[in-house]
Amino acid sequence: MNKLAGQIDQALRDIVLCSENQLEILVGTCQSNVTLTNTQEHILMLIENSSLTNSEIAKQLDVSQAAITKAIKSLIAQGMLMAVRDARDARVIHYELTDVAKPIAAEHTHHHEHTLESYDELLAGYSSDEQMIISRFLKELVEKISK
């Protein structure tokens, strides 16, 4: 096995371990004293700027509606979300943040921004040609492991 192939294999294993039971990998840790799952924090972040339905959240996160329902029930129980019936169709329920959840959603948004800034800092050490190679490699790697 090529040495670089071994490094790729190890890196992917490390990524899988870091991301187990999470929707995303973020650099650093959130500072909130509230213990939420990564999915719950991400739901709060999505709802921060607009109310969404269960199915809209599931679609954006690419997870099952059942998983979103479970997370939402917990967030409602913790006083972080409120269910609001649609004015035009009472069967449709939108979720909105409570005042308790707003700082947590803002922190998660900040955490996302910090992660992207960290990637930019890392990439700054590579030439534009090297960045193109990295980009091509990542695209092809994802295609290969997605088959």
Side-chain angles (χ1 to χ4, degrees), residues 85-138:
R85 293 213 178 265
D86 188 278
R88 287 175 268 143
D89 185 349
R91 297 171 296 172
V92 177
I93 298 174
H94 295 268
Y95 296 97
E96 296 179 1
L97 298 181
T98 65
D99 289 340
V100 172
K102 289 177 183 176
I104 297 165
E107 181 187 7
H108 194 78
T109 299
H110 172 74
H111 204 160
H112 264 267
E113 292 165 358
H114 171 70
T115 297
L116 294 176
E117 289 167 3
S118 296
Y119 296 158
D120 283 338
E121 288 171 13
L122 181 63
L123 289 167
Y126 296 90
S127 70
S128 58
D129 287 344
E130 290 171 322
Q131 289 182 30
M132 286 175 37
I133 292 168
I134 293 167
S135 176
R136 189 181 97 219
F137 172 78
L138 290 173

Side-chain angles (χ1 to χ4, degrees), residues 43-80:
I43 288 169
L44 295 180
M45 184 186 77
L46 289 176
I47 296 174
E48 183 177 22
N49 296 316
S50 66
S51 65
L52 298 171
T53 65
N54 182 308
S55 59
E56 290 168 335
I57 296 166
K59 190 176 196 177
Q60 285 192 37
L61 295 181
D62 196 24
V63 297
S64 71
Q65 285 193 24
I68 296 303
T69 299
K70 181 180 176 183
I72 285 175
K73 283 182 181 180
S74 176
L75 290 167
I76 290 172
Q78 295 178 65
M80 294 191 191

Side-chain angles (χ1 to χ4, degrees), residues 5 36 39 42 59 71 81 84 112:
L36 297 175
T39 302
H42 206 85
K59 190 176 196 177
L81 284 184
V84 179
H112 264 267

